Amino acid sequence: MHAIHVESLVKSFGGRRAVDGISFQVDEGEVFGFLGPNGAGKTTTIKILTTLIKPTSGFVEVLGYDVLQQADEVRKRIGVVQQQESYELNLSVERALDLYGLMWDVPRRLRRELLEDLLERFGLGEVRKVKAGELSIGMRRRLQVAREFMHDMDLLFLDEPTIGLDPIARRDTLNFIKRKSDEGVTVFLTTHILEEAEYLCNRVAMINKGRILVVDTPQNLKRFFGGIRRVEMRVNGMMPVDFVSRIGSDDSVESAQLTDPQTVTLVTKSPGEALSNMLRLAEKFRLEVVSVYAAEPSLEDVFIDLMRGDN
Amino acid sequence: MHSILRLTLRAFISSLDKATLFFILVFPAFFIFVMGFAFTGIIPDFIVGGAKLSYPVFLASGAVTFTVINSGMTVGVIIWFDRKYGMYEQILMGPFRRYEYLASIILATILVSLLSAGLAFLIALPVLIQGGLTFQGFLYAGLVLIVGSVLFGSIAIILSVRLRSSESFQVFNSFIFFIILFTSSVFYPTEYAPQPIHIISLVNPLTYLADIFRAGLLGLADPMLFLKISVLAGESLILLILAVLMFNRIRV
């Protein structure tokens, strides 16, 4: 059984189609990334999957339940961290966690255990008595993410969960999500930080203007679409400007620029050819090469390429 | 525990912090003990419902009903805060239905109103005891408070749905609060007031709430009592229906 099954989903607001006939499946236990630029239709899709809004047309099944006919069953089994902030102004961190657990009918003893664990895991121990309204944005985000783990779920929706988090909290959060996934929770993630998707996701879908452009593993996407790579060369002494313009006009090179006085960075679709041409030219210029580095295409490179192509 | 009860508990806890409770209780205490006794010297005993009442007794019973508007508005506006701070959507993505959320707000409004009215009543007891309390009147007054809390909770829900910006919300909230309060019979018998104020007071639900509560609690004879009960119940029902209809139109 698929955790999520979407067929020809459409959502229109007035005459505008925010989601335009998308279809995809998410397997149980999978971490599925849903990536796209602002306004691509990610949050609208999440709102439909979480039964918050109704689709205009199409078929959507979550955990085997139809989101229109069996919305209650869906909501009992999912967790959601929204993109927008959500908190209760007057409640302290520990009261907010406890009350959220109570709302989900978690027994008192288990709530106490979960609360202590989450306070420590999300670095909220020191602010446990502080009201949510008095916390920094980052701490409130931690609270919002931590809160969702006060109850059990089969499927977790994370809509840009690390917005506002510092790098350490971000990494801790990602690791915690990974652990939950290892325990069998299916995760549906949207993020603008593509390193996160690369780190967490088994598969990703890239969406633009309400349409899915591609669905595959990050590895396959990089292999198929990550044609453009960066090649860097660092020399001893100053990099001659003439060298940069000469290598920049090479047929194998898309662009060349000085990234610092000693380093030139090439963008190329043929890294091997560009590298050998650059080394040959360096020899002519009698440059002493200190290091050469060919960067792997990242998921971000794939994303930018695909979105630019689609636009 | 049923989901409505869990949501009610949540609304109750999240709207009743110490500062709010202090605000809800200090106001009536201030009116009863400062204003009530300060004005005793210049306001002689007067006739209400065929009985002679001192101003502190009159004011004390009015001040208890005043907590209902105060706490009703405090809890009812939780919808506004939930929408502003993302909890509304969060709750609707949890194991709850819309009507359960609305029912919990109304239930919490009744609970907080009764609790704060009960505490205000205890504060006012040394004064009210001079007015001849009866057990029957006490129960009757409690029922009226429930109807009143639904009414003011509904007003707060309507405001929460209609007003999105903090500024307009606060201005309207305060404006309506003071208009309702000072054109009602909480502080003075409106039949003694100038004609325009008296007319306004006749459409003001707090007037009926205060009059019925006072009559019930102090065993006063009011020939218009049945009419007043009908008006209060009718206004409550209309506002509740309006609140439900407007709430159902909230878009997420």
Side-chain angles (χ1 to χ4, degrees):
Chain A
M1 189 184 75
H2 295 300
I4 299 174
H5 184 179
V6 174
E7 285 290 337
S8 310
L9 175 64
V10 173
K11 178 66 188 177
S12 301
F13 295 104
R16 191 181 65 84
R17 279 193 170 196
V19 177
D20 193 1
I22 62 172
S23 301
F24 63 92
Q25 286 85 41
V26 178
D27 293 331
E28 279 185 350
E30 186 178 20
V31 181
F32 188 83
F34 205 59
L35 315 177
N38 296 328
K42 303 184 298 292
T43 300
T44 303
T45 305
I46 284 196
K47 284 183 174 181
I48 294 169
L49 294 174
T50 55
T51 80
L52 200 57
I53 58 174
K54 290 178 178 162
T56 305
S57 65
F59 171 77
V60 182
E61 211 173 63
V62 173
L63 298 167
Y65 297 101
D66 185 317
V67 293
L68 285 176
Q69 307 299 325
Q70 298 160 297
D72 293 348
E73 297 302 321
V74 172
R75 287 198 302 270
K76 280 181 202 165
R77 292 165 174 83
I78 61 172
V80 186
V81 176
Q82 302 180 76
Q83 183 182 353
Q84 70 172 108
E85 280 197 295
S86 95
Y87 59 95
E88 276 146 322
L89 210 61
N90 289 329
L91 295 186
S92 68
V93 168
E94 61 180 2
R95 180 59 74 88
L97 288 172
D98 187 56
L99 199 56
Y100 199 71
L102 176 83
M103 278 166 60
W104 278 88
D105 212 11
V106 177
R108 182 193 289 259
R109 185 182 286 180
L110 182 57
R111 289 207 307 270
R112 292 310 308 173
E113 285 171 19
L114 285 169
L115 191 149
E116 293 302 329
D117 180 52
L118 291 170
L119 283 175
E120 192 190 325
R121 204 175 284 280
F122 283 86
L124 292 163
E126 283 183 20
V127 293
R128 62 189 297 161
K129 302 282 182 198
V130 179
K131 287 183 178 178
E134 293 163 9
L135 294 173
S136 67
I137 292 172
M139 293 304 260
R140 272 208 298 267
R141 193 66 179 166
R142 287 191 204 194
L143 170 61
Q144 190 180 346
V145 177
R147 190 182 62 186
E148 210 48 45
F149 296 104
M150 283 297 294
H151 66 94
D152 262 346
M153 68 202 81
D154 296 324
L155 171 59
L156 174 61
F157 291 92
L158 297 165
D159 198 355
E160 305 193 24
T162 58
I163 287 178
L165 295 185
D166 63 60
I168 296 168
R170 212 178 93 193
R171 181 45 67 104
D172 288 346
T173 303
L174 295 181
N175 286 338
F176 190 67
I177 294 166
K178 208 172 184 119
R179 213 189 80 188
K180 283 285 165 190
S181 160
D182 293 342
E183 289 170 8
V185 175
T186 307
V187 178
F188 188 93
L189 168 81
T190 79
T191 178
H192 279 129
I193 306 167
L194 299 185
E195 288 165 15
E196 289 180 2
E198 210 166 343
Y199 179 70
L200 279 178
C201 297
N202 304 106
R203 287 190 307 142
V204 298
M206 292 197 180
I207 179 172
N208 192 28
K209 298 174 188 167
R211 290 176 293 112
I212 288 182
L213 304 179
V214 64
V215 183
D216 212 326
T217 63
Q219 294 75 21
N220 281 347
L221 288 175
K222 285 192 287 187
R223 198 179 315 141
F224 296 139
F225 297 98
I228 292 180
R229 299 183 189 203
R230 289 190 309 277
V231 178
E232 282 180 12
M233 186 178 79
R234 188 176 173 79
V235 297
N236 203 358
M238 299 284 278
M239 179 73 74
V241 177
D242 192 29
F243 176 84
V244 178
S245 62
R246 285 276 296 276
I247 192 63
S249 61
D250 192 282
D251 288 344
S252 65
V253 175
E254 300 273 310
S255 69
Q257 66 176 60
L258 274 174
T259 37
D260 65 54
Q262 292 178 278
T263 310
V264 65
T265 300
L266 311 183
V267 175
T268 173
K269 284 182 178 169
S270 323
E273 191 185 343
L275 183 60
S276 72
N277 290 349
M278 181 163 62
L279 288 173
R280 214 172 299 131
L281 191 64
E283 214 172 286
K284 276 190 191 168
F285 273 76
R286 298 179 185 283
L287 299 177
E288 189 186 332
V289 178
V290 176
S291 64
V292 175
Y293 170 69
E296 275 287 300
S298 64
L299 197 58
E300 190 166 309
D301 294 327
V302 175
F303 179 82
I304 291 168
D305 263 14
L306 273 171
M307 295 305 149
R308 279 189 179 150
D310 190 52
N311 289 332
Chain B
M1 199 192 295
H2 191 277
S3 45
I4 293 181
L5 293 181
R6 280 182 270 135
L7 283 177
T8 304
L9 199 55
R10 172 251 166 200
F12 186 83
I13 292 170
S14 57
S15 60
L16 251 201
D17 63 341
K18 285 175 198 157
T20 308
L21 198 60
F22 179 77
F23 174 72
I24 286 174
L25 294 177
V26 160
F27 251 13
F30 174 82
F31 285 131
I32 294 163
F33 294 107
V34 179
M35 206 169 135
F37 287 106
F39 287 172
T40 310
I42 54 168
I43 303 175
D45 292 359
F46 51 90
I47 306 290
V48 177
K52 202 173 188 189
L53 290 185
S54 69
Y55 186 61
V57 172
F58 179 88
L59 185 60
S61 52
V64 176
T65 58
F66 155 69
T67 61
V68 174
I69 175 172
N70 213 353
S71 47
M73 299 292 265
T74 302
V75 183
V77 297
I78 197 173
I79 293 179
W80 187 86
F81 283 96
D82 280 347
R83 290 177 77 199
K84 183 170 174 64
Y85 297 105
M87 283 308 292
Y88 177 65
E89 291 187 357
Q90 190 70 43
I91 288 169
L92 292 188
M93 288 187 285
F96 308 104
R97 295 175 179 179
R98 258 178 189 242
Y99 85 86
E100 291 176 328
Y101 173 80
L102 183 62
S104 75
I105 300 295
I106 293 167
L107 265 178
T109 305
I110 294 171
L111 277 178
V112 175
S113 296
L114 287 181
L115 175 74
S116 50
L119 291 172
F121 176 79
L122 289 177
I123 292 170
L125 197 57
V127 178
L128 285 173
I129 210 132
Q130 302 160 27
L133 297 174
T134 64
F135 181 68
Q136 256 184 326
F138 185 77
L139 289 179
Y140 172 76
L143 284 173
V144 173
L145 290 181
I146 291 175
V147 177
S149 61
V150 170
L151 189 147
F152 291 110
S154 300
I155 292 176
I157 290 168
I158 291 167
L159 287 179
S160 300
V161 174
R162 286 293 300 167
L163 306 170
R164 291 308 298 263
S165 78
S166 312
E167 294 78 14
S168 56
F169 179 73
Q170 275 161 11
V171 167
F172 263 89
N173 215 352
S174 308
F175 180 74
I176 286 179
F177 179 81
F178 281 107
I179 292 286
I180 288 177
L181 187 61
F182 287 105
T183 59
S184 74
S185 56
V186 165
F187 297 122
Y188 54 89
T190 51
E191 56 266 35
Y192 292 104
Q195 191 70 359
I197 295 177
H198 181 56
I199 291 168
I200 294 170
S201 78
L202 292 178
V203 291
N204 185 345
L206 190 58
T207 299
Y208 298 104
L209 179 63
D211 285 354
I212 300 165
F213 178 82
R214 196 175 279 126
L217 196 69
L218 304 176
L220 306 177
D222 187 343
M224 306 289 276
L225 194 60
F226 182 73
L227 179 68
K228 287 179 177 176
I229 290 172
S230 304
V231 171
L232 184 68
E235 284 185 338
S236 297
L237 190 65
I238 289 167
L239 285 168
L240 181 62
I241 290 169
L242 199 60
V244 171
L245 289 176
M246 290 179 71
F247 174 82
N248 284 336
R249 286 171 59 191
I250 294 179
R251 288 179 67 174
V252 287

